[in-house]
Amino acid sequence: MSEHTNTRHDDGRRAFVRRSLLRGAALGAAAPLLPAAAHAAQDAVPAGAAPGTSDAPRPDTAARPAQAGPHAATLRWLGTSGWRIGVGGRTVLFDPYITRFPTGLFGPRGSFDPNTRLSCDEELVARHAGSPELVLVSHTHWDHVGDVPYIAASTGARVLGTETTYHVLRALGVDAGQISVVKGGEVLDFDGFTVEVVASRHSRNAKWSYFAPGTLHAAPRRAPRTISDLPEGDTLAFHVTVADGPSYFLMGASDFDERSAAGLRPDVLMAATPATRSTHRYLPRLLAALGSPGTVVPVHWDNFEEPLSAPPRRDPAMDLDAFTAEIRRLSPASRIVVPDYATLYGADLRPTA
């Protein structure tokens, strides 16, 4: 199948809980962590079986010295769509949501509370975020931006995001001088890596909508207090290219602007996993626009209300196995890596020793 059907629980209840609310992400039965292993063993495990597994490498990228040079990259998945990327001793974060507080989103129907108060576990966030110099924000929903105000204020990191992200961060006390507003089309040089900002789109639920739409063009009257105070505020993707190394296409939602993404040709695609068929031919169009990247990493499929210290669990409203099978069918030369929280990956998305 080309896209996933709208799923139902065994008792017939539509998997509303946030599919009627949010995006295309995923979770499900408990999936064991795969510890760092030899590269040969990694390549031998079928994709989609468990986090940390991968397909055989794409022939034209397998021999690429991705970790060579002074700007060798390392990557750690922070769950949801988040990543911590190390480049030559420097740190870049993408959509770092680490606190992962409960909202009822993954509970039974009717348990989701849009008035859930925002919170940040500062000690936990500091431990996972490190000392970033740059934070990339795809959009302003709480599971993408919730910890960014603390990270920015405590580290001095520069934040790239939309105008809505700017106004939210300002309302939450972040210095205006740390925030760079971007719209898509910017190509920014950070001396060792470049960031191309790509106009994108938020994923849609079964009713072709999503939770908390809207944009901010001025500071809100009061600082955001609840998750519903954080509107989506337009969505971005980021194409990060490491000097003398690979490039990564980072997605925060399972939709995209096909014309803006066309021709980018990243080495690694962090593909947000969809939950519905609302977006027409999402995966075929995405892979075609990006030239069937050598490595594809499904993201935003986990329960982001459980701690990063536990093994990732799949969102039962989403079919991760079907998604990886469709990637394999559409782009058989691509290597598929299903990530886990515990593994530190090298630039080529193979576990480091």
Side-chain angles (χ1 to χ4, degrees):
M1 57 197 258
S2 297
E3 296 84 24
H4 308 312
T5 58
N6 299 330
T7 58
R8 292 179 180 270
H9 294 293
D10 292 340
D11 62 0
R13 291 181 291 111
R14 185 170 299 279
F16 145 90
V17 185
R18 63 245 179 263
R19 292 310 153 261
S20 306
L21 299 169
L22 257 161
R23 83 275 160 210
L27 148 95
L33 294 177
L34 180 72
H39 295 171
Q42 163 92 357
D43 292 339
V45 184
T53 63
S54 76
D55 276 343
R58 183 185 176 104
D60 62 354
T61 59
R64 178 172 183 161
Q67 305 226 57
H71 303 296
T74 58
L75 298 95
R76 188 180 295 278
W77 187 41
L78 298 177
T80 323
S81 60
W83 289 90
R84 174 174 169 170
I85 305 174
V87 183
R90 302 153 70 193
T91 299
V92 178
L93 300 179
F94 172 67
D95 282 3
Y97 179 56
I98 296 162
T99 299
R100 298 162 74 92
F101 55 80
T103 66
L105 192 59
F106 294 86
R109 181 172 181 171
S111 61
F112 174 69
D113 182 6
N115 294 315
T116 300
R117 296 287 295 229
L118 297 168
S119 64
C120 176
D121 186 331
E122 296 179 358
E123 181 180 352
L124 180 68
V125 171
R127 186 160 70 246
H128 284 278
S131 300
E133 68 174 71
L134 183 65
V135 181
L136 310 176
V137 178
S138 68
H139 63 284
T140 319
H141 282 152
W142 85 95
D143 55 318
H144 299 262
V145 80
D147 290 327
V148 173
Y150 171 73
I151 292 171
S154 62
T155 67
R158 175 156 301 281
V159 180
L160 298 189
T162 65
E163 182 182 2
T164 297
T165 297
Y166 172 87
H167 290 304
V168 164
L169 295 184
R170 291 290 294 124
L172 292 171
V174 178
D175 190 304
Q178 290 178 242
I179 312 168
S180 297
V181 175
V182 289
K183 297 181 178 180
E186 299 90 348
V187 183
L188 307 176
D189 191 333
F190 288 92
D191 189 22
F193 62 94
T194 60
V195 175
E196 182 169 359
V197 186
V198 183
S200 194
R201 299 290 183 268
H202 197 278
S203 49
R204 302 279 162 163
N205 59 33
K207 296 182 178 179
W208 303 276
S209 187
Y210 56 88
F211 175 74
T215 58
L216 296 177
H217 301 291
R221 293 181 178 179
R222 67 175 190 181
R225 299 176 183 175
T226 71
I227 60 173
S228 61
D229 290 335
L230 299 179
E232 174 256 351
D234 296 329
T235 295
L236 302 170
F238 294 91
H239 185 217
V240 177
T241 302
V242 178
D244 303 320
S247 62
Y248 307 92
F249 190 82
L250 303 166
M251 301 182 70
S254 58
D255 199 356
F256 69 110
D257 184 325
E258 189 168 1
R259 292 166 180 81
S260 296
L264 290 178
R265 301 294 187 269
D267 296 294
V268 180
L269 163 61
M270 312 310 196
T273 309
T276 74
R277 300 181 62 180
S278 295
T279 297
H280 177 65
R281 302 186 71 248
Y282 161 67
L283 186 58
R285 291 189 300 109
L286 177 65
L287 292 172
L290 298 176
S292 294
T295 300
V296 181
V297 185
V299 296
H300 215 328
W301 51 263
D302 60 321
N303 181 334
F304 54 78
E305 296 188 355
E306 295 185 348
L308 292 173
S309 58
R313 288 204 305 142
R314 301 183 190 182
D315 181 338
M318 304 175 62
D319 193 338
L320 177 63
D321 291 336
F323 186 57
T324 57
E326 184 70 358
I327 295 169
R328 191 178 306 110
R329 185 184 71 79
L330 292 168
S331 184
S334 296
R335 183 170 59 99
I336 304 170
V337 178
V338 179
D340 64 65
Y341 310 144
T343 299
L344 179 65
Y345 298 93
D348 55 1
L349 266 294
R350 288 182 172 82
T352 60

